[in-house]
């Protein structure tokens, strides 16, 4: 697993550079990213020289198979006993850990068990590494997006008057699994008519009706990597207001996607979409940020929001998803998954937009 070794090396350079000789990584997606091990429990320990994966009895075989780049250790039912011994052997007395993940309970326990070891809360530095995807990761995201596109084409006949949102959503998820997905990135959203004014509505028992706008937001997981795509379809012919809103969202999306370039600030891409929607008088109805990073997690860094100063780099994968949601009327959201390349952005989602 040459990419795992590279990731560990990058982690050492970035995270262990501030005089912290070793760190534990437990956030599941971070643990999987740095080791290749996809079990549901385990602790990665990275030092300047070594990389260990501590797992309990249930996972020893799986860990050896999936994480050959790390030394796998079966820990005592009480992990601190094994960790204490290991740190002593390695002569390490200062240990970083992920402050966004450690609970107060774990902190109490570790502070009392690991006497003589200084515990240093660290920001989530693996999240930063994960922003830029390697080729294998990009291939997985591409594949996840292609599976979801295929499922969407098959589900479209179900987006019609008389059909329940929930039944179409269940079918969509089933199709994604049948077409090769390992799972879904999130519960499929199908929100029709006035319900489309809720950006994160769950599919309900509502029957779709003629004249509805229907927001369908879906994603597949392929080998741990997610995709994310939204389409808004109309049942029957769009009226003039529906057309107007749809076109504004479409323009905001197209223009902001054009702004995606390496070296461009994430916040600027949001700004491009937001200014178009605001100029047309609907700024107050676009209440969420323009997009988010996608990878092992469905929401990861960077975010395309006014607050994110990250400079885009080739290998980042972000969504571009402007929306306008008008209470008691409905909403429109269009979402594409975009890979930042050396010269711009490549759209990975291909689901068609019209009947
Ligand atoms: Zn989405
Ligand atoms: Zn999204």
């Amino acid at each position: 697993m040459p990419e795992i070794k590279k990731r560990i090396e990058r982690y050492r350079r970035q995270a262990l550079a501030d005089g912290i000789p070793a760190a534990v990584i437990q956030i599941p997606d971070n643990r999987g990213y740095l080791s290749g091990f996809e079990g549901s429990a385990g602790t990665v320990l990275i030092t300047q020289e070594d990389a260990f994966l501590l797992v309990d009895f249930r996972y020893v075989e799986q860990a050896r198979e999936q994480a050959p780049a790390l030394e796998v250790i079966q820990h005592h039912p009480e992990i601190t006993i094994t960790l204490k011994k290991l740190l002593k052997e390695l002569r390490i007395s200062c240990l970083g850990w992920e402050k966004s993940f450690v609970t107060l309970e774990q902190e109490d326990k570790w502070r009392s068990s690991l006497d003589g070891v200084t515990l240093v809360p660290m920001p989530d530095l693996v999240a930063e590494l994960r922003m830029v995807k390697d080729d294998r990761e990009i291939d997985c995201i591409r594949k996840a997006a292609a599976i979801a596109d295929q499922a969407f084409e098959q589900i479209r006949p179900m987006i019609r008057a008389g059909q329940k949102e929930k039944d179409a959503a269940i079918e969509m998820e089933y199709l994604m699994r049948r077409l090769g997905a390992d799972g879904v990135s999130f519960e499929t959203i199908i929100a029709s008519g006035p319900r489309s004014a809720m950006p994160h509505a769950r599919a309900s028992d509502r029957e779709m009706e003629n004249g509805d706008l229907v927001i369908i937001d879906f994603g597949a997981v392929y080998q741990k990597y997610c995709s994310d795509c939204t389409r808004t379809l109309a049942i029957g012919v769009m009226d003039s207001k529906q057309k107007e809103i749809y076109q504004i969202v479409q323009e905001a999306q197209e223009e902001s996607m054009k702004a995606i370039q390496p070296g461009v600030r994430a916040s600027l891409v949001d700004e491009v979409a937001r200014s178009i929607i605001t100029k047309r008088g609907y700024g107050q109805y676009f209440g969420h940020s323009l997009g988010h990073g996608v990878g092992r997690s469905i929401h990861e860094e960077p975010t395309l929001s006014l607050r994110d100063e990250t400079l885009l780099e080739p290998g980042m994968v972000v969504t571009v998803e402007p929306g306008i949601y008008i209470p008691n009327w409905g909403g429109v959201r269009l979402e594409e998954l975009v890979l930042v390349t050396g010269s711009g952005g490549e759209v990975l989602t291909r689901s068609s937009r019209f009947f």
Side-chain angles (χ1 to χ4, degrees), residues 186 217 228-230 292 294 298-299 319 321 335:
F186 51 88
D217 190 347
D228 196 0
C229 179
T230 305
H292 52 89
V294 172
I298 183 62
H299 293 115
T319 65
E321 48 179 310
E335 176 177 31

Side-chain angles (χ1 to χ4, degrees), residues 125-156:
L125 297 163
V126 186
E128 271 174 50
L129 301 182
R130 280 169 45 196
M131 286 198 291
V132 176
K133 274 75 184 171
D134 59 36
D135 291 346
R136 201 192 77 81
E137 295 181 286
I138 292 167
D139 285 347
C140 291
I141 296 172
R142 241 183 238 288
K143 176 82 177 159
I147 290 169
D149 285 340
Q150 242 180 305
F152 182 69
E153 295 315 316
Q154 294 187 30
I155 198 69
R156 282 168 39 139

Side-chain angles (χ1 to χ4, degrees), residues 172-186:
M172 181 69 191
E173 295 184 356
Y174 172 76
L175 278 169
M176 287 194 278
R177 295 295 301 264
R178 277 300 296 259
L179 290 163
D182 299 315
V184 293
S185 309
F186 51 88

